[in-house]
Coordinates of all heavy atoms in Angstrom, one line a residue:
L15 N 4.9 4.2 15.5 CA 4.8 4.3 14.1 C 6.0 4.8 13.5 O 6.5 5.9 13.9 CB 3.6 5.1 13.7 CG 3.2 5.3 12.2 CD1 2.9 3.9 11.6 CD2 2.0 6.2 12.1
K16 N 6.6 4.2 12.5 CA 7.8 4.6 11.8 C 7.6 4.6 10.3 O 8.0 3.7 9.6 CB 8.9 3.6 12.2 CG 10.3 3.9 11.6 CD 11.2 2.9 12.1 CE 12.4 2.7 11.1 NZ 13.2 1.6 11.4
P17 N 7.0 5.7 9.8 CA 6.8 5.8 8.3 C 8.2 5.8 7.6 O 9.1 6.4 8.1 CB 6.1 7.1 8.1 CG 5.6 7.5 9.4 CD 6.5 6.9 10.5
I18 N 8.3 5.1 6.5 CA 9.5 5.1 5.7 C 9.1 5.6 4.3 O 8.1 5.3 3.7 CB 10.0 3.7 5.6 CG1 10.5 3.2 7.0 CG2 11.2 3.6 4.6 CD1 11.2 1.9 7.0
S19 N 10.0 6.4 3.8 CA 9.8 7.0 2.5 C 9.7 6.0 1.3 O 10.3 4.9 1.4 CB 11.0 7.9 2.2 OG 11.1 8.2 0.8
F20 N 9.0 6.3 0.3 CA 8.9 5.5 -0.9 C 10.3 5.2 -1.5 O 10.6 4.1 -1.9 CB 8.1 6.3 -2.0 CG 8.3 5.8 -3.4 CD1 7.7 4.6 -3.8 CD2 9.1 6.5 -4.2 CE1 7.9 4.1 -5.1 CE2 9.3 6.0 -5.5 CZ 8.7 4.8 -6.0
F21 N 11.2 6.2 -1.4 CA 12.5 6.0 -1.9 C 13.3 5.0 -1.2 O 14.2 4.4 -1.7 CB 13.3 7.4 -1.9 CG 12.6 8.4 -2.8 CD1 11.8 9.4 -2.3 CD2 12.6 8.2 -4.2 CE1 11.2 10.3 -3.1 CE2 12.0 9.1 -5.0 CZ 11.3 10.2 -4.5
S22 N 12.9 4.7 0.1 CA 13.6 3.6 0.8 C 13.3 2.2 0.2 O 14.0 1.3 0.4 CB 13.2 3.6 2.3 OG 13.6 4.8 2.9
T23 N 12.1 2.1 -0.4 CA 11.6 0.8 -0.9 C 11.8 0.7 -2.4 O 11.5 -0.3 -3.0 CB 10.2 0.6 -0.6 OG1 9.4 1.6 -1.2 CG2 10.0 0.6 0.9
K24 N 12.2 1.8 -3.1 CA 12.2 1.9 -4.5 C 13.0 0.7 -5.2 O 12.6 0.2 -6.3 CB 12.7 3.2 -5.0 CG 12.5 3.5 -6.4 CD 12.9 4.9 -6.8 CE 12.7 5.2 -8.2 NZ 13.1 6.5 -8.6
G25 N 14.1 0.3 -4.6 CA 14.9 -0.7 -5.2 C 14.4 -2.1 -5.1 O 15.0 -3.0 -5.7
Y26 N 13.4 -2.4 -4.3 CA 12.9 -3.7 -4.0 C 11.9 -4.1 -5.1 O 11.0 -3.4 -5.5 CB 12.2 -3.8 -2.7 CG 13.2 -3.6 -1.5 CD1 13.2 -2.4 -0.8 CD2 14.0 -4.7 -1.2 CE1 14.1 -2.3 0.2 CE2 14.9 -4.5 -0.1 CZ 14.9 -3.3 0.6 OH 15.8 -3.2 1.6
D27 N 12.1 -5.3 -5.6 CA 11.2 -5.9 -6.7 C 10.2 -6.7 -6.0 O 10.5 -7.7 -5.3 CB 12.1 -6.8 -7.6 CG 11.2 -7.4 -8.7 OD1 10.0 -7.3 -8.7 OD2 11.9 -7.9 -9.6
P28 N 8.9 -6.4 -6.1 CA 7.8 -7.1 -5.4 C 7.7 -8.6 -5.9 O 7.1 -9.4 -5.2 CB 6.5 -6.3 -5.7 CG 6.9 -5.5 -6.9 CD 8.3 -5.3 -6.9
K29 N 8.3 -8.9 -7.0 CA 8.2 -10.3 -7.5 C 9.3 -11.1 -6.8 O 9.2 -12.4 -6.8 CB 8.4 -10.3 -9.0 CG 7.3 -9.6 -9.7 CD 7.6 -9.6 -11.2 CE 6.5 -8.7 -11.9 NZ 6.9 -8.3 -13.2
K30 N 10.3 -10.5 -6.2 CA 11.4 -11.2 -5.6 C 11.2 -11.4 -4.0 O 11.8 -12.3 -3.4 CB 12.7 -10.5 -5.8 CG 13.1 -10.6 -7.3 CD 14.5 -10.0 -7.4 CE 14.9 -10.0 -8.9 NZ 16.2 -9.4 -9.1
F31 N 10.4 -10.5 -3.4 CA 10.3 -10.5 -2.0 C 8.9 -10.6 -1.5 O 8.0 -10.0 -2.1 CB 10.9 -9.2 -1.4 CG 12.3 -9.0 -1.7 CD1 12.7 -8.1 -2.6 CD2 13.3 -9.7 -1.0 CE1 14.1 -7.9 -2.9 CE2 14.7 -9.5 -1.3 CZ 15.0 -8.6 -2.2
T32 N 8.6 -11.3 -0.4 CA 7.3 -11.3 0.2 C 7.2 -10.1 1.1 O 8.2 -9.5 1.4 CB 7.1 -12.6 1.1 OG1 8.0 -12.5 2.2 CG2 7.4 -13.9 0.3
P33 N 5.9 -9.7 1.5 CA 5.8 -8.6 2.4 C 6.6 -8.8 3.7 O 7.2 -7.8 4.2 CB 4.3 -8.6 2.7 CG 3.7 -9.1 1.4 CD 4.7 -10.2 1.0
Q34 N 6.7 -10.0 4.2 CA 7.4 -10.3 5.4 C 8.9 -10.0 5.2 O 9.6 -9.5 6.1 CB 7.2 -11.7 5.9 CG 5.8 -11.9 6.5 CD 4.7 -12.0 5.5 OE1 5.0 -12.2 4.3 NE2 3.5 -11.7 5.9
E35 N 9.4 -10.4 4.0 CA 10.8 -10.1 3.7 C 11.1 -8.6 3.6 O 12.1 -8.1 4.1 CB 11.3 -10.8 2.5 CG 11.3 -12.3 2.6 CD 11.5 -13.0 1.3 OE1 10.9 -12.6 0.3 OE2 12.3 -14.0 1.3
Y36 N 10.1 -7.9 3.0 CA 10.2 -6.4 3.0 C 10.3 -5.9 4.4 O 11.2 -5.0 4.7 CB 9.0 -5.8 2.3 CG 9.1 -5.6 0.9 CD1 8.2 -6.3 0.0 CD2 10.0 -4.7 0.3 CE1 8.3 -6.2 -1.4 CE2 10.0 -4.5 -1.1 CZ 9.2 -5.3 -1.9 OH 9.2 -5.1 -3.2
G37 N 9.4 -6.3 5.3 CA 9.4 -5.9 6.7 C 10.7 -6.1 7.4 O 11.2 -5.2 8.0
R38 N 11.3 -7.2 7.2 CA 12.6 -7.5 7.9 C 13.7 -6.6 7.3 O 14.5 -6.1 8.0 CB 13.0 -9.0 7.7 CG 12.3 -9.9 8.6 CD 12.9 -11.3 8.6 NE 12.8 -12.0 7.3 CZ 11.7 -12.6 6.9 NH1 10.7 -12.7 7.7 NH2 11.7 -13.2 5.7
K39 N 13.8 -6.5 6.0 CA 14.8 -5.6 5.4 C 14.7 -4.2 5.7 O 15.7 -3.5 5.9 CB 14.7 -5.8 3.8 CG 15.2 -7.2 3.4 CD 15.1 -7.3 1.8 CE 15.5 -8.6 1.3 NZ 16.9 -8.9 1.5
L40 N 13.4 -3.7 5.9 CA 13.2 -2.3 6.2 C 13.1 -2.0 7.7 O 13.1 -0.9 8.1 CB 11.9 -1.8 5.5 CG 12.0 -1.9 4.0 CD1 10.6 -1.6 3.4 CD2 13.0 -0.9 3.4
G41 N 12.9 -3.1 8.5 CA 12.8 -2.9 9.9 C 11.5 -2.3 10.3 O 11.4 -1.5 11.2
V42 N 10.4 -2.8 9.7 CA 9.0 -2.3 10.0 C 8.1 -3.5 10.3 O 8.4 -4.6 10.0 CB 8.4 -1.5 8.8 CG1 9.3 -0.3 8.5 CG2 8.3 -2.4 7.5
D43 N 7.1 -3.2 11.1 CA 6.1 -4.2 11.5 C 4.8 -4.2 10.6 O 4.0 -5.1 10.6 CB 5.7 -4.0 12.9 CG 6.9 -4.2 13.9 OD1 7.7 -5.1 13.6 OD2 7.0 -3.5 14.9
F44 N 4.6 -3.0 10.0 CA 3.4 -2.8 9.2 C 3.8 -2.4 7.8 O 4.8 -1.7 7.6 CB 2.5 -1.8 9.8 CG 2.0 -2.2 11.2 CD1 2.7 -1.8 12.3 CD2 0.8 -2.9 11.3 CE1 2.3 -2.2 13.6 CE2 0.4 -3.3 12.6 CZ 1.1 -2.9 13.7
L45 N 3.0 -2.8 6.8 CA 3.3 -2.4 5.4 C 2.0 -2.0 4.7 O 1.0 -2.7 4.8 CB 3.9 -3.6 4.7 CG 4.6 -3.4 3.4 CD1 5.8 -2.4 3.5 CD2 5.1 -4.7 2.8
L46 N 2.0 -0.9 4.0 CA 0.9 -0.4 3.2 C 1.2 -0.7 1.8 O 2.1 -0.2 1.2 CB 0.7 1.1 3.4 CG -0.6 1.7 2.8 CD1 -1.8 1.1 3.5 CD2 -0.6 3.2 2.9
L47 N 0.4 -1.7 1.2 CA 0.6 -2.1 -0.2 C -0.5 -1.5 -1.1 O -1.6 -1.4 -0.7 CB 0.5 -3.6 -0.3 CG 1.6 -4.4 0.4 CD1 1.3 -5.9 0.3 CD2 3.0 -4.1 0.0
G48 N -0.1 -1.1 -2.3 CA -1.1 -0.6 -3.3 C -0.8 -1.2 -4.6 O 0.3 -1.5 -5.0
K49 N -1.9 -1.5 -5.3 CA -1.8 -2.0 -6.7 C -2.8 -1.2 -7.5 O -4.0 -1.0 -7.1 CB -2.2 -3.5 -6.7 CG -2.0 -4.1 -8.0 CD -2.2 -5.6 -7.9 CE -1.9 -6.3 -9.2 NZ -2.0 -7.7 -9.1
T50 N -2.4 -0.8 -8.7 CA -3.3 -0.1 -9.6 C -3.6 -0.9 -10.9 O -2.8 -1.7 -11.3 CB -2.7 1.3 -10.1 OG1 -1.4 1.0 -10.7 CG2 -2.5 2.2 -8.9
L51 N -4.8 -0.7 -11.4 CA -5.2 -1.3 -12.6 C -6.0 -0.3 -13.4 O -6.9 0.4 -12.8 CB -6.1 -2.5 -12.3 CG -6.7 -3.3 -13.4 CD1 -5.7 -3.9 -14.3 CD2 -7.7 -4.3 -12.8
E52 N -5.7 -0.1 -14.7 CA -6.4 0.8 -15.5 C -7.4 0.1 -16.3 O -7.1 -0.9 -17.1 CB -5.5 1.6 -16.4 CG -6.2 2.7 -17.1 CD -5.3 3.6 -18.0 OE1 -4.1 3.7 -17.6 OE2 -5.8 4.2 -18.9
I53 N -8.7 0.5 -16.2 CA -9.8 -0.1 -17.0 C -10.7 1.0 -17.6 O -11.1 1.9 -16.9 CB -10.7 -1.0 -16.1 CG1 -9.8 -2.1 -15.5 CG2 -11.8 -1.6 -16.9 CD1 -10.6 -3.0 -14.5
N54 N -10.8 0.9 -18.9 CA -11.7 1.9 -19.6 C -11.4 3.3 -19.2 O -12.3 4.1 -19.0 CB -13.2 1.6 -19.3 CG -13.6 0.2 -19.9 OD1 -13.1 -0.2 -20.9 ND2 -14.5 -0.4 -19.2
G55 N -10.1 3.7 -19.2 CA -9.7 5.1 -19.0 C -9.8 5.6 -17.5 O -9.5 6.8 -17.3
H56 N -10.1 4.7 -16.6 CA -9.9 5.2 -15.2 C -9.2 4.2 -14.4 O -9.0 3.0 -14.8 CB -11.3 5.5 -14.6 CG -12.2 4.4 -14.4 ND1 -13.1 3.9 -15.5 CD2 -12.5 3.5 -13.4 CE1 -13.8 2.9 -15.1 NE2 -13.4 2.6 -13.8
A57 N -8.7 4.6 -13.3 CA -7.8 3.8 -12.4 C -8.6 3.2 -11.3 O -9.4 3.8 -10.7 CB -6.6 4.6 -11.9
I58 N -8.3 1.9 -11.0 CA -8.8 1.2 -9.9 C -7.6 0.9 -9.0 O -6.5 0.4 -9.4 CB -9.4 -0.1 -10.3 CG1 -10.5 0.2 -11.3 CG2 -9.9 -0.9 -9.1 CD1 -11.7 -0.6 -11.3
L59 N -7.7 1.3 -7.7 CA -6.6 1.2 -6.8 C -7.0 0.3 -5.6 O -8.0 0.6 -5.0 CB -6.2 2.6 -6.3 CG -5.1 2.7 -5.3 CD1 -3.8 2.2 -5.8 CD2 -4.9 4.2 -4.8
R60 N -6.2 -0.7 -5.4 CA -6.5 -1.6 -4.2 C -5.4 -1.4 -3.2 O -4.2 -1.5 -3.6 CB -6.5 -3.0 -4.7 CG -6.7 -3.9 -3.5 CD -7.1 -5.3 -3.8 NE -7.1 -5.9 -2.5 CZ -8.0 -6.8 -2.1 NH1 -9.0 -7.0 -2.8 NH2 -7.9 -7.3 -0.9
I61 N -5.8 -1.1 -2.0 CA -4.8 -0.8 -0.9 C -5.0 -1.7 0.2 O -6.2 -2.0 0.6 CB -4.9 0.7 -0.5 CG1 -4.5 1.5 -1.7 CG2 -3.9 0.9 0.7 CD1 -4.6 3.0 -1.4
Q62 N -4.0 -2.2 0.8 CA -4.0 -3.1 2.0 C -3.0 -2.7 3.0 O -1.9 -2.3 2.7 CB -3.8 -4.6 1.7 CG -4.8 -5.2 0.8 CD -4.5 -6.6 0.4 OE1 -3.3 -6.9 0.2 NE2 -5.5 -7.5 0.4
L63 N -3.4 -2.7 4.3 CA -2.5 -2.5 5.4 C -2.2 -3.8 6.1 O -3.2 -4.5 6.5 CB -3.1 -1.5 6.4 CG -2.3 -1.2 7.7 CD1 -0.9 -0.6 7.3 CD2 -3.1 -0.3 8.6
L64 N -1.0 -4.2 6.1 CA -0.6 -5.6 6.6 C 0.1 -5.4 7.9 O 1.0 -4.6 8.1 CB 0.3 -6.3 5.6 CG -0.2 -6.4 4.2 CD1 0.9 -7.1 3.4 CD2 -1.4 -7.2 4.1
E65 N -0.2 -6.3 8.9 CA 0.6 -6.5 10.1 C 1.5 -7.7 9.8 O 1.0 -8.8 9.7 CB -0.3 -6.7 11.3 CG 0.5 -6.8 12.6 CD -0.4 -6.9 13.8 OE1 -1.6 -7.0 13.7 OE2 0.2 -7.0 14.9
L66 N 2.8 -7.4 9.6 CA 3.7 -8.4 9.1 C 4.0 -9.6 10.1 O 4.0 -10.7 9.7 CB 5.0 -7.8 8.7 CG 4.8 -6.7 7.5 CD1 6.1 -6.0 7.3 CD2 4.2 -7.4 6.3
R67 N 4.1 -9.3 11.4 CA 4.4 -10.3 12.3 C 3.3 -11.4 12.4 O 3.6 -12.6 12.7 CB 4.6 -9.7 13.7 CG 5.9 -9.0 13.8 CD 6.2 -8.5 15.2 NE 7.4 -7.7 15.2 CZ 7.9 -7.0 16.2 NH1 7.2 -7.1 17.4 NH2 9.0 -6.3 16.2
K68 N 2.1 -11.0 12.3 CA 0.9 -11.9 12.4 C 0.4 -12.3 11.0 O -0.5 -13.1 10.9 CB -0.2 -11.2 13.1 CG 0.1 -10.9 14.6 CD -1.1 -10.3 15.3 CE -0.7 -10.0 16.7 NZ -1.9 -9.4 17.4
D69 N 1.1 -11.8 9.9 CA 0.7 -12.2 8.6 C -0.8 -11.9 8.4 O -1.6 -12.8 7.9 CB 1.1 -13.6 8.2 CG 1.0 -13.9 6.7 OD1 1.1 -12.9 5.9 OD2 0.9 -15.0 6.3
K70 N -1.2 -10.7 8.8 CA -2.7 -10.4 8.8 C -3.0 -9.1 8.1 O -2.2 -8.1 8.2 CB -3.0 -10.2 10.3 CG -4.5 -9.9 10.6 CD -4.7 -9.9 12.1 CE -6.2 -9.5 12.3 NZ -6.4 -9.4 13.8
I71 N -4.1 -9.1 7.3 CA -4.5 -7.9 6.7 C -5.4 -7.1 7.7 O -6.4 -7.6 8.1 CB -5.4 -8.2 5.4 CG1 -4.5 -8.9 4.4 CG2 -5.9 -6.9 4.8 CD1 -5.3 -9.4 3.2
L72 N -4.9 -5.9 8.1 CA -5.7 -5.1 9.1 C -6.8 -4.3 8.4 O -7.8 -4.1 9.0 CB -4.7 -4.2 9.8 CG -3.7 -4.8 10.6 CD1 -2.8 -3.8 11.2 CD2 -4.3 -5.7 11.7
W73 N -6.5 -3.9 7.2 CA -7.5 -3.1 6.4 C -7.2 -3.3 5.0 O -6.1 -3.4 4.5 CB -7.3 -1.7 6.9 CG -8.1 -0.7 6.1 CD1 -9.4 -0.4 6.2 CD2 -7.6 0.1 5.0 NE1 -9.8 0.6 5.3 CE2 -8.7 0.9 4.5 CE3 -6.4 0.3 4.4 CZ2 -8.5 1.8 3.5 CZ3 -6.2 1.2 3.3 CH2 -7.3 1.9 2.9
G74 N -8.3 -3.2 4.2 CA -8.1 -3.2 2.7 C -9.3 -2.6 2.1 O -10.5 -2.7 2.6
E75 N -9.1 -1.9 1.0 CA -10.2 -1.2 0.3 C -9.8 -1.0 -1.2 O -8.6 -0.9 -1.5 CB -10.5 0.2 1.0 CG -11.8 0.8 0.6 CD -12.2 1.8 1.5 OE1 -11.8 1.9 2.7 OE2 -13.1 2.6 1.1
T76 N -10.8 -1.0 -2.0 CA -10.6 -0.8 -3.4 C -11.3 0.6 -3.8 O -12.4 0.8 -3.4 CB -11.2 -1.9 -4.3 OG1 -10.6 -3.1 -3.9 CG2 -11.0 -1.7 -5.7
F77 N -10.6 1.4 -4.5 CA -11.0 2.7 -4.9 C -11.1 2.8 -6.4 O -10.2 2.4 -7.1 CB -10.1 3.8 -4.4 CG -10.0 3.8 -2.9 CD1 -9.0 3.1 -2.3 CD2 -10.8 4.6 -2.1 CE1 -8.8 3.1 -0.9 CE2 -10.7 4.6 -0.8 CZ -9.7 3.9 -0.2
D78 N -12.2 3.4 -7.0 CA -12.3 3.7 -8.4 C -12.0 5.2 -8.5 O -12.7 6.0 -8.0 CB -13.7 3.4 -8.8 CG -13.9 3.6 -10.3 OD1 -13.1 4.3 -11.0 OD2 -14.9 3.1 -10.9
L79 N -10.9 5.5 -9.2 CA -10.4 6.9 -9.2 C -10.9 7.7 -10.4 O -10.3 8.8 -10.7 CB -8.9 7.0 -9.1 CG -8.3 6.3 -7.8 CD1 -6.8 6.4 -7.8 CD2 -8.9 6.9 -6.6
E80 N -11.9 7.3 -11.1 CA -12.3 8.1 -12.2 C -12.8 9.5 -11.8 O -13.7 9.7 -11.0 CB -13.5 7.3 -12.9 CG -14.0 8.0 -14.2 CD -15.1 7.3 -14.8 OE1 -15.8 6.5 -14.2 OE2 -15.3 7.5 -16.0
G81 N -12.1 10.5 -12.4 CA -12.4 11.9 -12.1 C -12.1 12.4 -10.7 O -12.5 13.4 -10.4
E82 N -11.4 11.6 -10.0 CA -11.1 12.0 -8.6 C -10.0 13.0 -8.5 O -9.0 13.0 -9.3 CB -10.6 10.8 -7.8 CG -11.7 9.8 -7.5 CD -12.7 10.3 -6.5 OE1 -12.4 11.0 -5.6 OE2 -13.9 9.9 -6.7
D83 N -10.1 13.9 -7.6 CA -9.0 14.9 -7.3 C -8.0 14.2 -6.5 O -8.3 13.6 -5.4 CB -9.6 16.1 -6.6 CG -8.6 17.1 -6.1 OD1 -7.5 17.1 -6.6 OD2 -9.0 17.8 -5.1
L84 N -6.7 14.2 -6.9 CA -5.7 13.5 -6.2 C -5.5 13.9 -4.8 O -5.3 13.1 -3.9 CB -4.4 13.6 -7.0 CG -3.2 12.8 -6.5 CD1 -3.5 11.3 -6.4 CD2 -2.0 13.0 -7.3
I85 N -5.5 15.2 -4.5 CA -5.4 15.7 -3.2 C -6.5 15.3 -2.3 O -6.3 14.8 -1.2 CB -5.3 17.3 -3.2 CG1 -4.1 17.8 -4.0 CG2 -5.2 17.8 -1.7 CD1 -2.7 17.3 -3.5
A86 N -7.7 15.3 -2.8 CA -8.9 14.8 -2.0 C -8.7 13.3 -1.7 O -9.1 12.9 -0.6 CB -10.2 15.1 -2.8
F87 N -8.3 12.6 -2.7 CA -8.1 11.2 -2.5 C -7.0 10.9 -1.4 O -7.2 10.0 -0.6 CB -7.7 10.4 -3.8 CG -7.4 9.0 -3.6 CD1 -8.4 8.1 -3.3 CD2 -6.1 8.5 -3.6 CE1 -8.1 6.8 -3.1 CE2 -5.8 7.2 -3.4 CZ -6.8 6.3 -3.1
Q88 N -5.9 11.6 -1.4 CA -4.9 11.5 -0.4 C -5.4 11.7 1.0 O -5.1 11.0 1.9 CB -3.7 12.4 -0.7 CG -2.9 11.9 -1.9 CD -1.8 12.9 -2.3 OE1 -1.9 14.1 -2.0 NE2 -0.7 12.4 -2.9
R89 N -6.3 12.7 1.1 CA -6.9 13.0 2.4 C -7.8 11.9 2.8 O -7.7 11.4 4.0 CB -7.7 14.3 2.3 CG -6.9 15.5 2.3 CD -7.8 16.8 2.5 NE -7.0 17.9 2.0 CZ -7.3 18.7 1.0 NH1 -8.5 18.5 0.3 NH2 -6.6 19.7 0.6
L90 N -8.6 11.4 1.9 CA -9.5 10.3 2.2 C -8.7 9.0 2.6 O -9.0 8.4 3.6 CB -10.3 9.9 1.0 CG -11.2 8.7 1.1 CD1 -12.3 8.8 2.1 CD2 -11.8 8.3 -0.3
L91 N -7.6 8.7 1.9 CA -6.8 7.6 2.2 C -6.2 7.7 3.6 O -6.2 6.8 4.4 CB -5.7 7.4 1.1 CG -4.9 6.2 1.3 CD1 -5.7 4.9 1.3 CD2 -3.8 6.1 0.2
S92 N -5.6 8.9 3.9 CA -5.0 9.0 5.2 C -6.0 8.9 6.4 O -5.7 8.4 7.4 CB -4.3 10.4 5.3 OG -5.2 11.4 5.2
Q93 N -7.2 9.3 6.1 CA -8.3 9.1 7.2 C -8.6 7.6 7.3 O -8.8 7.2 8.5 CB -9.5 9.9 6.8 CG -9.4 11.4 6.9 CD -10.5 12.1 6.3 OE1 -11.4 11.5 5.7 NE2 -10.5 13.5 6.4
R94 N -8.7 6.9 6.2 CA -9.1 5.5 6.3 C -8.0 4.6 6.9 O -8.3 3.7 7.6 CB -9.4 5.0 4.9 CG -10.5 5.7 4.2 CD -11.9 5.0 4.5 NE -13.0 5.8 4.0 CZ -13.6 5.5 2.8 NH1 -13.2 4.5 2.1 NH2 -14.6 6.3 2.4
V95 N -6.8 4.9 6.6 CA -5.6 4.1 7.2 C -5.5 4.5 8.7 O -5.3 3.7 9.5 CB -4.3 4.4 6.4 CG1 -3.2 3.7 7.1 CG2 -4.5 3.9 5.0

């Protein structure tokens, strides 16, 4: 496992690159993607763990973050991944 900082990916535009292209540029085999959507004052977060070589979603989950404690959510997410 080789975690890479958010700042390593900050300059990449998701509209220009596929997850596989991100993987090649960053030298990683797995990618954790997240997308947020705000509806009626609360956030919905969809997260997927991709295995890039096989073009496969290993795990995915959607979270409704209304009133959630951010630290508690981070703990929950790290356990799920």
Side-chain angles (χ1 to χ4, degrees):
L15 183 60
K16 178 182 155 187
I18 293 182
S19 160
F20 161 78
F21 297 106
S22 298
T23 63
K24 191 174 178 183
Y26 292 102
D27 182 351
K29 296 174 187 166
K30 292 182 180 180
F31 299 105
T32 66
Q34 288 73 20
E35 289 170 322
Y36 271 115
R38 281 192 297 276
K39 289 177 181 294
L40 297 170
V42 297
D43 297 322
F44 299 89
L45 193 61
L46 187 66
L47 298 177
K49 184 174 186 176
T50 59
L51 177 64
E52 188 176 335
I53 299 176
N54 296 327
H56 63 276
I58 303 212
L59 179 61
R60 176 164 175 136
I61 298 177
Q62 294 179 320
L63 178 62
L64 306 177
E65 184 175 2
L66 300 174
R67 289 184 184 176
K68 295 182 180 180
D69 195 21
K70 182 177 178 183
I71 298 172
L72 296 178
W73 171 81
E75 195 161 341
T76 301
F77 299 91
D78 184 341
L79 300 181
E80 183 177 21
E82 291 290 323
D83 174 21
L84 185 57
I85 301 297
F87 176 71
Q88 288 175 334
R89 284 189 200 117
L90 172 67
L91 184 59
S92 65
Q93 291 170 355
R94 300 270 174 99
V95 172

